[in-house]
Amino acid sequence: MSLRRYAGRQRLALAALAGVFAGLGQVPFSAVPVALAGLALSLGLLHGARTWRGAAALGFFAGTGYFATSLHWIVEPFLVDVARHGWMAPFGLFFTATGFALFWAVAFALARATGGRGWRLSLAWAVWLGAAEMTRSYILTGFPWALVGYVWTEGPALQLVSLIGPYGLTVLTLLLVAGGVEVARRRAWPTLVRLAVAAAVWLLPLGAGALLLHDDPPTPGAALVRIVQPNAPQDEKWDPERAGFFFQRMLEFTAAPGAPDLTIWPETSLPYYLEDGHAALARVSDAAGGRPVALGAQRVDGWRAWNSMALIEPGGRIADLYDKHHLVPFGEYVPLGGIGRALGLPSFAAEDGFGFTPGEGPHLVDTGAAGRVLPLICYEAIFPQDVNAAPGRPDWLMQITNDAWFGTFSGPYQHLAQARARAVEQGLPLIRSANTGISAVIDAAGRVTASLPLGEAGYLDARLPPARAATPYAQSGDLPLALLLTVLAVGIWLTAWRDRR
């Protein structure tokens, strides 16, 4: 059946539906064949577009469907205080979905303008859309959440990020879909052959990833870590009548029997501003029996504030400090606020008391018996480029987070899936302490070896899984893929220019 016969509005509706199908590949749905079919449908619609403007409209509607489905959790922060902020929820989802859909609109338009017909158009679509996904992950501080490549997070294909990273897996997925569409369009080919190729688009990444998956031998004497999960709902977390209760709960979990080499509390778990010598830090150290504790807290200096992770040693001394450097736009700071300050205008800059101040960048923390760790505070774990920018190779990764903002359906699970991808990319174990869950021990292959469920209070003792050798992606980063996409895009553009002469 040809998609050309559908009228304009029907085609746009189909494009939006294709985007919804593609979004169902993200956790918790993880419907990979449905997602691949949705991407294929969007490409099939592009083949029927006569102009770049029509292609841009198709890309915009497909992108809106995709991001509205995969990022629907974005409404959850507005629902923490429904009376004050609930009215903003639909606007937040609408502008998020349509804003990111603009990247897809540009990619579809460029594919139509430079791709010609047939297989060249399919190739151009894969290249330009892959470049668009990579661009949105970097530009304006970036937001690489719900990358197309993450449809593979719940199976062995995730192992491929150790070779090509998540952006490479995204491009590979789009190329496979493009190849499948080209075979499907060969009507002279037997139906059985075309169905076999369609199945291969799904099975090839699974098989390739399975070849990379293997068990690591246990490490004798590996450090013992304790993960603390207080389960403080966001609407109660800072309530003066409840904050002390949650603090006491974490102290009790920390003081429970056992002798962990390191205890980890989640993001902003300390209900006081972080100050060296604060009595609360001495209580934390006493509860841990003088052993190190890594905890999240806010600290202030004048008008400036930081979202920090502190390593607490005997007596409550702050042995090391890391300040979150990749902040959430509008959630933790107001973009471009410093420009107004520089011009002498009323400002929303951190220096004037609005939001957090970014830290200096990735920082390795020596925890003693547990080794050197790269801390990641919440949102920072979604950026593979930030992990690659560490000043050295750590022994393991640590994410402290407060996922109470993300609801209980998809947001926390997608955040966990991306943390698992970071472990595979680097060949390093990752320990995750989340306020309301999901706290987890993740091995270097991205497998969750122990966890605390979402919405439960508790603590978990576990040995650090062994690290693997630095992966190809950990050594090369995104530069090879960026160069490849540039060469392919230039080649496609030059071919289109030659054909017009």
Side-chain angles (χ1 to χ4, degrees):
M1 180 181 67
S2 174
L3 296 174
R4 292 178 181 271
R5 69 185 183 89
Y6 289 97
R9 291 182 179 178
Q10 291 175 311
R11 292 170 62 80
L12 295 179
L14 276 175
L17 185 62
V20 170
F21 287 163
L24 292 175
Q26 303 289 330
V27 292
F29 310 105
S30 301
V32 181
V34 175
L36 298 176
L39 292 168
L41 175 57
S42 71
L43 177 54
L45 291 166
L46 177 62
H47 274 277
R50 293 190 174 92
T51 67
W52 67 265
R53 292 181 180 84
L58 289 171
F60 179 77
F61 275 81
T64 298
Y66 176 78
F67 290 111
T69 302
S70 56
L71 299 178
H72 68 269
W73 57 265
I74 208 78
V75 304
E76 296 291 348
F78 302 106
L79 302 181
V80 171
D81 188 346
V82 175
R84 294 178 60 191
H85 305 126
W87 65 272
M88 300 169 64
F91 296 100
L93 180 59
F94 174 80
F95 287 113
T96 297
T98 57
F100 289 125
L102 293 174
F103 288 93
W104 283 38
V106 171
F108 276 58
L110 287 171
R112 177 68 283 168
T114 63
R117 298 289 176 183
W119 67 268
R120 280 172 45 193
L121 176 58
S122 293
L123 175 62
W125 171 82
V127 169
W128 288 117
L129 188 53
E133 285 288 88
M134 192 171 184
T135 300
R136 77 170 172 92
S137 302
Y138 274 89
I139 197 170
L140 299 175
T141 80
F143 189 68
W145 201 297
L147 290 170
V148 169
Y150 286 149
V151 302
W152 303 104
T153 54
E154 300 308 296
L158 180 63
Q159 302 305 308
L160 294 173
V161 300
S162 67
L163 303 178
I164 57 179
Y167 310 127
L169 186 55
T170 292
V171 172
L172 176 62
T173 303
L174 296 172
L175 287 171
L176 287 171
V177 170
V181 167
E182 282 306 303
V183 171
R185 295 177 68 243
R186 301 296 189 269
R187 298 188 179 183
W189 290 21
T191 301
L192 188 60
V193 172
R194 291 189 286 166
L195 288 175
V197 171
V201 171
W202 175 39
L203 296 175
L204 280 176
L206 297 177
L211 293 176
L212 298 172
L213 190 60
H214 58 84
D215 292 326
D216 299 298
T219 303
L224 181 68
V225 295
R226 172 169 294 177
I227 306 171
V228 171
Q229 181 171 300
N231 192 35
Q234 192 58 41
D235 59 349
E236 299 180 16
K237 180 176 171 63
W238 301 115
D239 185 333
E241 296 181 1
R242 297 288 290 167
F245 167 78
F246 294 120
F247 180 56
Q248 183 61 36
R249 172 182 281 178
M250 288 184 285
L251 290 175
E252 292 173 359
F253 290 158
T254 302
D261 296 295
L262 177 69
T263 298
I264 307 171
W265 289 20
E267 177 188 18
T268 59
S269 51
L270 192 70
Y272 311 96
Y273 286 130
L274 184 66
E275 298 176 9
D276 212 352
H278 195 290
L281 298 183
R283 294 180 65 190
V284 172
S285 179
D286 290 344
R291 293 178 292 273
V293 177
L295 55 78
Q298 300 178 58
R299 68 183 188 91
V300 297
D301 183 5
W303 287 102
R304 305 175 73 188
W306 291 264
N307 185 353
S308 305
M309 189 286 299
L311 183 68
I312 309 302
E313 291 196 338
R317 183 177 68 89
I318 299 176
D320 206 344
L321 186 68
Y322 166 70
D323 296 320
K324 184 177 182 181
H325 73 278
H326 206 141
L327 302 176
V328 182
F330 300 103
E332 292 182 312
Y333 79 104
V334 179
L336 305 179
I339 293 179
R341 187 173 190 269
L343 296 175
L345 301 173
S347 171
F348 290 93
E351 293 87 344
D352 297 321
F354 293 93
F356 290 111
T357 297
E360 296 181 356
H363 171 66
L364 298 184
V365 173
D366 189 347
T367 65
R372 292 200 312 168
V373 62
L374 178 68
L376 304 168
I377 299 181
C378 190
Y379 179 73
E380 291 181 318
I382 75 171
F383 294 95
Q385 57 265 36
D386 286 358
V387 179
N388 267 347
R393 182 166 173 79
D395 298 310
W396 54 289
L397 307 174
M398 173 174 64
Q399 183 193 17
I400 60 172
T401 184
N402 176 22
D403 286 3
W405 288 107
F406 300 158
T408 58
F409 180 64
S410 64
Y413 295 97
Q414 290 181 6
H415 206 192
L416 172 65
Q418 292 172 91
R420 292 175 50 236
R422 300 295 83 78
V424 180
E425 289 162 8
Q426 298 296 321
L428 293 173
L430 185 149
I431 306 298
R432 187 173 198 266
S433 177
N435 169 29
T436 55
I438 306 162
S439 298
V441 178
I442 302 169
D443 71 9
R447 295 169 294 207
V448 175
T449 61
S451 65
L452 292 168
L454 188 67
E456 292 187 13
Y459 70 93
L460 171 67
D461 288 350
R463 295 284 175 185
L464 267 176
R468 293 178 172 177
T471 65
Y473 178 74
Q475 298 177 68
S476 67
D478 297 320
L479 182 59
L481 178 64
L483 292 175
L484 175 63
L485 288 174
T486 300
V487 169
L488 290 173
V490 170
I492 290 168
W493 203 299
L494 290 176
T495 301
W497 177 76
R498 182 199 63 191
D499 291 345
R500 292 192 183 99
R501 294 183 65 185

